[in-house]
Amino acid sequence: MKENKSLMVRGDSSLDKIRAYYANPSKHELSPTLEEVRMRLVEAYGLIMNYWPRQRIARKWEVDKGLSQAQAYLDIKNAQLLFGQVNKLDRDSKRNLLFEYSSNLLERARKKGDLKAEAKAIELMIKCSGLSEEDIAQFNPEKFENVEVAIAIPKALQEVLIAKMQGGTVDLNKFDATEIDYEELKEEEDDSQE
């Protein structure tokens, strides 16, 4: 009995078809043209993993394979979409590891009381965390200063408040204030929601 091969949906991109192939090769066969594209993606990813710049890969494929520059860049992009951007993840993991080393250095420097090493560790942590000088320049120490705030109130209210404060705390809920007439508005229920 012949095994039923799953047909790919019309309109799927080449990348979708190659993904389906990797998910289940026996169920999703590739045409010779798509197999050629898949092999280019594998090759592109291998070159990327060996730290080849995109421009160099594109130039190489223009000459060696006769591809257009646009197709070469599309293959490189699709290779990274299919297999992942390991070099970027590797760089982020190295950054995190260096941040941890700097954090440990800071902890040891604080235990020893070495201010120079502590300052250097903090400087390294800033570099590893990606804070730029622009971010640091936006820090405004004036926001943390204790600023005296002056409030202007009418003389009559000032005298009443001073009299109320004679007992210690002031309960403004028991303050004799003028009531203003108001009308409470209720939200109308929308009949279409029921």
Side-chain angles (χ1 to χ4, degrees):
M1 186 162 116
K2 192 173 180 182
E3 185 180 323
N4 253 345
K5 298 287 182 187
S6 168
L7 295 177
M8 298 186 196
V9 179
R10 188 176 203 94
D12 281 350
S13 69
S14 297
L15 184 61
D16 292 333
K17 293 174 183 176
I18 293 170
R19 273 194 182 122
Y21 168 80
Y22 275 112
N24 191 345
S26 62
K27 193 174 179 185
H28 303 283
E29 288 184 358
L30 295 177
S31 68
T33 306
L34 280 178
E35 182 60 29
E36 183 182 321
V37 171
R38 185 185 74 81
M39 292 310 296
R40 282 199 323 253
L41 298 182
V42 169
E43 182 183 350
Y45 195 69
L47 293 172
I48 291 167
M49 291 302 295
N50 287 312
Y51 300 102
W52 276 48
R54 292 176 174 189
Q55 296 84 358
R56 185 174 172 199
I57 297 170
R59 277 193 308 259
K60 177 180 174 23
W61 283 7
E62 281 181 271
V63 174
D64 295 352
K65 299 181 186 298
L67 294 176
S68 69
Q69 190 178 35
Q71 183 61 54
Y73 278 109
L74 182 63
D75 284 350
I76 294 166
K77 176 185 163 201
N78 285 341
Q80 289 182 320
L81 288 172
L82 186 62
F83 301 115
Q85 294 186 7
V86 175
N87 291 344
K88 182 179 179 192
L89 295 175
D90 187 45
R91 194 178 82 191
D92 288 343
S93 64
K94 285 178 184 175
R95 180 184 295 136
N96 290 335
L97 185 62
L98 290 172
F99 186 84
E100 284 299 315
Y101 288 158
S102 301
S103 179
N104 290 338
L105 175 64
L106 177 64
E107 187 178 325
R108 288 193 311 247
R110 284 186 174 160
K111 284 181 182 175
K112 290 182 180 179
D114 186 354
L115 295 178
K116 285 185 180 181
E118 190 175 332
K120 184 63 177 176
I122 291 172
E123 182 180 323
L124 290 172
M125 289 173 75
I126 289 170
K127 286 181 182 177
C128 291
S129 65
L131 291 175
S132 66
E133 289 184 23
E134 185 178 301
D135 294 330
I136 294 169
Q138 290 178 356
F139 172 72
N140 187 358
E142 293 174 2
K143 289 182 179 179
F144 294 101
E145 289 180 7
N146 188 12
V147 180
E148 189 174 317
V149 179
I151 300 173
I153 57 173
K155 185 77 170 164
L157 181 59
Q158 182 180 1
E159 291 171 359
V160 172
L161 283 175
I162 291 172
K164 293 250 184 210
M165 288 192 305
Q166 297 300 325
T169 60
V170 178
D171 186 0
L172 293 177
N173 290 325
K174 294 182 180 175
F175 192 71
D176 209 13
T178 305
E179 294 246 351
I180 299 175
D181 291 335
Y182 67 93
E183 180 181 335
E184 189 172 326
L185 298 176
K186 294 182 182 179
E187 291 183 32
E188 295 179 319
E189 292 182 14
D190 191 5
D191 293 335
S192 63
Q193 291 179 352
E194 292 178 5

